[in-house]
Amino acid sequence: MSSKRSDRVRRLRRGGLLATLGALLVMAGGSPAQAVFGPPGEVTISFWCPPPQQFIPDAASAQQRMQQIKDAGFNLVTTNACDLGEWPVEVTRRALVAADAVGLKALVHDERFRRAAETGDTSGVPGVARDFAGYPAVAGYEVIDEPSYGFIPVAAEMVRTLRTLDPAHASYINLLPSWDPNLPVPYTRYVGDYLNAVDPVLLSYDNYLWPTMYTNLITIRDEARRRGIPFWNVVLATAHGRFPDQPTAPQMLWEGMQTLAYGGTGILWFVYWDMIDPDFREAMIDARGNETPLYAETAAINAKLRTIGRPLVGARHVRTFQTGPDPLPAGGVRRQPQTPVFGDDNAPMTIGVFEDDSYVYSLVTSRDTASARTANTRLKYNATLPQRLTGPGSWTTVSPTSTGGGLAAVSASLAPGDAVLYRVAKPLARVDDEVVIGRVRNNHGTLHSVDSAGGVTYMGPAPWGTCPPGYGEAGRYERPNGFWVCTRSDLAGRGVYVGNVVNNGSELVRVQNGNALPLGPKAWSGCTNTSRFVAQLLESNGFWVCLDAADRRGPEAVVGLVRANDGQLYATDYANGTYHVGSGGWGACPGGYGYVGKYEAVNGFWLCARSDLVPRTFLVGNVVANAATLFSVTWGAVSAIHYPAAWNDCRGGRLLGNLVVSNGFWLCQQ
């Protein structure tokens, strides 16, 4: 395939058929029988290109080479010798016996698979199963590497033959990357048609073009998740062909940790043994069979991957998100609401969230492969503080830098490309991220999750009205420097107060049931007496959020007070008093409020009532130069019923609010 060779014909002719790299496991009858690829409960670590046959001429040398593989942290061996020649049957058998002796499993490749791939003639495939099925070290069969779209039917036929003859062992196939220029169909169709034809229980691929790392990971992860199967990723260890830069140890560590963060359960390196090819740079073992510096570096990386991967292979992957400044890498996503971990947007991290019956796990990985980074993370917890993985099977309770609101703030220094794994005992009782704010500045929208303990989390650019799953739009303040509000589904209908800050000037706006009601200027973090403060984005164009403590409908009415032919709007709220909400012309009512009636005079008024209250009768005390007239207002009928009237005269009705000034008013509801 294009990630291993620029020319597929050259690849097939020279025998590089099955990379131990990514692979696809297929079991008999579509039923996922137990197939062990490496030790149970461990992340699989393997490679492409084992020792060529001249380096395993007898049982002793074969066992020595297998032990060398195991000492580097690998737990699965492949028997495809790449461009150094196919292993004859007797050499494969020798390697299988040696692998079993040191406790390794192996995937069997054979030149009969290669001939089937080159010619489409699968008649030799049954002989492979007959020759190797009885060896204890066999984990499965390496059938074909990177099948083209047109080759899928032949691959499926090979797999059907093997599962019929040897249903105890799986077939392993590695797929092309998403960017392969020779694919005649979209990548999702290539993968989907392959899955339908072969019916695998494990999916894998390779991709060494790092700018497409995340988009390809996401496609494979999603396809594997739809099938309920795990996935593997083949990653780069050796520069070659169109990948001329030899990966550094931090870059290799990054490849592995990113795969784990997306829920991958297998990592395979290209390559282990030097292929004696001018296109290729350093391998872990050189052409003379000697360990290179890359061998020790890879052994250290494999140890880290196996230590961190062990708790995760039995857990369910929940989601993955990125932190750090914009722009995120292609395919990267920001934290979504209800995620039980908060990252630091000052540091470029990828965070994977997992869970099992007992714990929630957060794998925090650095995307910086050049410099050390500090990962500041806040973890939701209940009664027990989070723990950090400090060694194989060893968990240590963290000492948080702070706690509060069910969050523990933790910090870790990460070497380039490295990671840290935390776990928190279940259940996590808190459910937060009450609202999501779409902040609009200069007609550009950005989405922010608002959590009463976690504060405000940036979620990236978004157009008007965008809400994440589980949230619905409550309303919008639609203007060049406005906002929209998304409320959690269980809070639908609850009143939300947004302090909208523009160039350090702020006003409070009440949003509920699709309506936005301005309540006038308000100082930072100011809430009404029926609402509680949630969180704030403290900057010159930021915002704060308050949430009604109970499910309230908001101010009962808005009075348009006209003095000297100038109209000003005042919201009148029985619970929160009277607020100036802006100016307006005769009869203007904000969203969610209906026109009731008006007293059209130089010093008159008009009345808007909340939609559910429009049919009610109201009394308005209109105060001009400290003298008041009481008016009855009902469905467009306005009549004076008493003059002079005393302040707050409601004639047995309920006083909703008042503006106690010499040219003010009061409002009653009958």
Side-chain angles (χ1 to χ4, degrees), residues 69-93:
I69 290 169
K70 184 176 182 179
D71 290 345
F74 295 104
N75 53 29
L76 181 68
V77 177
T78 59
T79 65
N80 177 6
C82 297
D83 286 7
L84 301 175
E86 305 286 353
W87 283 359
V89 170
E90 62 271 16
V91 174
T92 300
R93 287 172 170 165

Side-chain angles (χ1 to χ4, degrees), residues 604-630:
F605 65 85
W606 74 91
L607 180 64
C608 307
R610 202 173 62 202
S611 298
D612 60 310
L613 299 178
V614 169
R616 300 289 182 90
T617 297
F618 296 87
L619 299 180
V620 178
N622 190 42
V623 182
V624 180
N626 291 312
T629 303
L630 190 62

Side-chain angles (χ1 to χ4, degrees), residues 282-307:
E282 182 180 7
M284 300 169 204
I285 307 294
D286 68 20
R288 295 182 297 276
N290 300 317
E291 296 173 5
T292 70
L294 184 60
Y295 175 90
E297 292 174 347
T298 307
I301 293 169
N302 287 344
K304 287 187 176 183
L305 295 174
R306 290 179 64 176
T307 296

